[in-house]
Amino acid sequence: MWKTLLRRVLSMIPQLLILSLLIFIMAKQMPGDPFTGLITPESDANRIEELREEAGFYDPWYVQYANWIIGVAQGDFGKSYTYKVPVADLIGERAMNTLWLSLLSVVLLYLIAIPLGVLAGRYQDTLVDKSIVLYSFVSYAIPTFVLGLIFLFLFGYQLGWFPTAGTVDIKYEESTKAYIWSKIYHMLLPAITYAVLGTTGVIQYLRSEIIDSKSMDYVRTARSKGIPIRKVYSKHIFRNSLLPIAAFFGFTITGLLGGSIFIESIFGYPGMGQLFMQSISSRDYSVITALVLLFGFLTLLGSLLSDIIMSIVDPRIRID
């Protein structure tokens, strides 16, 4: 297994190189540059040209790419033209915010989705099942920004139950209980929004697996032995239905770490998703290329993580 994992990790290197090249080329095709916003009737055109030359914007594209990828290999993603700080430091600050939001979103997602999926599968074709399926279809059909705006307006502005921006109340001292609760409190509304939108896949997977498992021979054998139906579901059906959920879990984690662009932007939450949108608006190429490369890496990591989780849940599966 360890040899296979090492092979999979090594195979990610050429994939990331190809991805980095595509990212760099597409970023260069964007109109304008970070210095375009400095152009005004009073600005010094010669000084702006000097800034572009210092940044290497007039070097051949392959020279720019080589300099960038060498820096990336050394952990240097360049400097943000907008924030005037190293990109690695900027992403590091935002990544922690996205990490905590992602963890809370995952917990809420599975707390909602697993019970609903089990109920829908166990009570197939009943009113309970149809209601849950309807809920999953509606949550899947609602665009992220629509539900986010509805929740923000209703629970944030109208009812005042949750904060409408930021990550923590500045009046609390760091590491205190009030500070930690304030951070959780600021994350709750965006996390609930993401959890509601993300339950569809888990519900449908779990429902289908439970329905299929109910007709298996080992379930009929357990029922014929007089085992109570509750134990049949908890020890046999539910356990064997977790495999696709385990596969889904890896992509859920890495997808959330990538940041929800719309949710973080709507709720004013300073994570990687919001940073990505701001960088596109300001044409901050260093941040854009670093974030897209990070999101691509997380996607590859999610695929590997899903395979590892599946092999742990079901020892019969081996990573190829």
Side-chain angles (χ1 to χ4, degrees), residues 68-139:
W68 176 66
I69 200 64
I70 291 173
V72 169
Q74 297 173 348
D76 180 13
F77 292 91
K79 189 175 182 179
S80 169
Y81 298 101
T82 303
Y83 298 94
K84 311 301 181 185
V85 296
V87 174
D89 295 342
L90 181 61
I91 293 178
E93 295 174 0
R94 299 295 186 97
M96 290 307 300
N97 291 336
T98 297
L99 174 63
W100 292 118
L101 177 61
S102 302
L103 293 175
L104 182 59
S105 299
V106 168
V107 171
L108 294 177
L109 189 154
Y110 281 94
L111 286 177
I112 296 172
I114 290 180
L116 292 180
V118 171
L119 288 173
R122 180 170 180 176
Y123 302 105
Q124 180 187 4
D125 295 331
T126 64
L127 180 61
V128 172
D129 177 33
K130 293 178 181 178
S131 300
I132 294 174
V133 171
L134 177 63
Y135 156 77
S136 64
F137 285 156
V138 171
S139 65

Side-chain angles (χ1 to χ4, degrees), residues 162-187 269:
F162 298 98
T164 56
T167 59
V168 68
D169 196 321
I170 59 174
K171 67 181 180 182
Y172 298 120
E173 294 184 7
E174 191 172 353
S175 301
T176 61
K177 291 182 179 179
Y179 180 89
I180 295 173
W181 166 244
S182 180
K183 287 190 73 72
I184 297 174
Y185 187 45
H186 279 73
M187 290 189 292
Y269 188 82

